[in-house]
């Protein structure tokens, strides 16, 4: 599996110039290389790539369940290092202030610390390079005019002082073209985006070049059924944001990949050769 933020070689802010965020290589950069190598050998290829998954919270949603879903969906317990992280949380304007307050309280109750300690909820970023990249995105979001709500507390234990800890951040008031909203960060950074009506919510959700996962939170079955067809993502869930069961087909649309995995469909499509046989017994 290949992810946009896991393709290495993304220069750090210090390498690009003081105060500048890292340049994130396009998902297509490495993908084209892999696809070209496969084409040269004339072999099939399946690619699970990056994501910028939207979580749409309608005005009638169960607020507490939706907040819990945002915490789980953002994968804060993995430091946001997940290609299906709910890094764009699109909330009806009537709920957004309460949603933010509830989410801040929930994340602040999480414990940052030693990843090997069972009491720890949030551990460290995987590498120094990724740590610098995530911090640079946070700085860029603030430069774009976003309000960064930094949550939880970095451990004060001297033994953990050199760990790559990044406080979870919820951004508000970001412009729609900010890299924090458009690019996969692969860190504990998400953005709350307000909307006024259903059509606007779908438009915002589908505005990304990615299409891996998406969720819709609503008590209205008609709205849910309409949304699951209109949201441009390969894996869509209603009123939940974490459950992946064995055998479910998994894969993305647009720049989130080609093909499916983790299912019989994937086995048949990508790991077997179909043969047509005709026998004439006359």
């Amino acid at each position: 599996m290949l992810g946009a933020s896991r393709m290495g070689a993304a220069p750090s802010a210090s390498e690009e110039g003081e105060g500048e965020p890292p340049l994130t290589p396009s998902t297509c950069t490495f993908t084209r290389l892999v696809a070209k190598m496969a084409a040269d050998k004339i072999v099939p290829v399946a690619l699970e790539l990056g994501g910028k998954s939207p979580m749409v919270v309608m005005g009638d949603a169960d607020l507490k369940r939706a907040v819990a879903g945002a915490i789980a969906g953002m994968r804060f317990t993995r430091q946001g290092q997940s290609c299906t992280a709910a890094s764009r949380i699109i909330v009806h304007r009537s709920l957004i202030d309460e949603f933010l307050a509830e989410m801040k309280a929930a994340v602040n109750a999480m414990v940052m610390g030693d990843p090997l300690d069972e009491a720890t909820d949030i551990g460290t970023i995987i590498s120094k390079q990724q740590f610098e990249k995530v911090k640079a995105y946070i700085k860029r979001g603030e430069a774009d005019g976003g309000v960064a709500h930094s949550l939880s507390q970095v451990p004060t234990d001297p033994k953990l002082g050199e760990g790559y800890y990044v406080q979870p951040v919820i951004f508000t008031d970001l412009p729609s073209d900010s890299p924090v909203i458009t690019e996969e960060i692969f860190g504990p950074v998400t953005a709350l985006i307000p909307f006024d009506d259903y059509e606007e919510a779908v438009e915002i959700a589908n505005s990304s070049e990615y299409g891996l996962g998406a969720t819709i939170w609503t008590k209205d079955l008609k709205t849910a059924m309409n949304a699951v067809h209109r949201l441009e993502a390969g894996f869509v869930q209603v009123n939940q944001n974490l459950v992946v069961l064995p055998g479910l087909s998994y894969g993305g649309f647009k720049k989130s990949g080609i093909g499916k995995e983790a299912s019989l469909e994937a086995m048949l499509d990508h790991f077997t050769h179909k043969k047509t046989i005709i026998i004439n017994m006359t």
Side-chain angles (χ1 to χ4, degrees):
M1 299 189 296
L2 305 172
S5 60
R6 299 180 291 286
M7 293 189 290
S12 67
S14 59
E15 292 171 328
E16 293 185 333
E18 187 65 31
E20 292 296 322
L23 298 174
T24 303
S26 165
T27 302
C28 290
T29 303
F30 195 51
T31 304
R32 288 194 180 99
L33 175 61
V34 173
K36 182 178 184 301
M37 294 170 65
D40 288 343
K41 295 181 178 294
I42 314 182
V43 296
V45 60
L47 300 169
E48 190 264 291
L49 304 172
K52 197 67 182 173
S53 299
M55 173 179 171
V56 178
V57 182
M58 300 301 296
D60 67 341
D62 184 315
L63 183 69
K64 290 191 179 297
R65 285 189 62 193
V67 169
I71 302 297
M74 189 50 218
R75 312 297 198 268
F76 282 124
T77 53
R78 302 184 204 171
Q79 296 71 247
Q81 296 172 122
S82 170
C83 49
T84 54
S87 51
R88 291 185 300 139
I89 305 177
I90 304 162
V91 184
H92 192 273
R93 197 177 300 274
S94 65
L95 294 179
I96 197 162
D97 290 340
E98 189 177 358
F99 191 99
L100 174 62
E102 293 270 354
M103 191 172 178
K104 286 170 65 176
V107 179
N108 274 322
M110 302 177 78
V111 177
M112 295 185 71
D114 184 347
L116 299 180
D117 187 337
E118 292 186 0
T120 293
D121 296 309
I122 304 172
T124 57
I125 300 297
I126 190 65
S127 67
K128 181 179 180 181
Q129 181 187 52
Q130 184 64 15
F131 170 81
E132 291 178 345
K133 175 185 172 185
V134 174
K135 296 291 282 187
Y137 268 109
I138 295 171
K139 188 174 182 179
R140 174 59 184 271
E142 292 173 330
D144 286 341
V147 178
H149 304 270
S150 297
L151 309 168
S152 299
Q153 294 299 317
V154 173
T156 57
D157 186 341
K159 295 179 181 178
L160 304 177
E162 295 183 2
Y164 300 132
Y165 292 97
V166 174
Q167 288 179 280
V169 171
I170 302 172
F171 268 104
T172 56
D173 303 323
L174 275 172
S176 60
D177 60 349
S178 171
V180 173
I181 286 181
T182 62
E183 298 178 8
E184 184 184 45
I185 299 173
F186 221 66
V189 181
T190 189
L192 292 191
I193 305 169
F195 73 91
D196 293 301
D197 59 58
Y198 173 70
E199 291 298 327
E200 182 185 10
V202 172
E203 181 180 357
I204 294 171
N206 290 340
S207 64
S208 173
E209 65 180 2
Y210 295 106
L212 188 55
T215 62
I216 174 78
W217 297 74
T218 179
K219 295 176 183 176
D220 185 83
L221 181 60
K222 184 178 179 180
T223 298
M225 293 307 295
N226 183 278
V228 296
H229 291 288
R230 292 184 61 189
L231 291 173
E232 297 171 355
F235 193 85
V236 182
Q237 300 179 76
V238 178
N239 295 332
Q240 63 179 30
N241 204 346
L242 189 60
V243 179
V244 178
L245 300 175
L248 291 181
S249 182
Y250 182 81
F253 295 169
K254 299 190 281 189
K255 291 185 179 179
S256 283
I258 301 170
K260 300 290 184 178
E261 60 182 24
S263 64
L264 180 60
E265 173 190 0
M267 295 293 292
L268 293 175
D269 286 349
H270 298 293
F271 299 101
T272 62
H273 292 286
K274 300 178 180 67
K275 180 184 291 186
T276 300
I277 300 172
I278 300 175
I279 301 176
N280 189 335
M281 296 295 291
T282 60

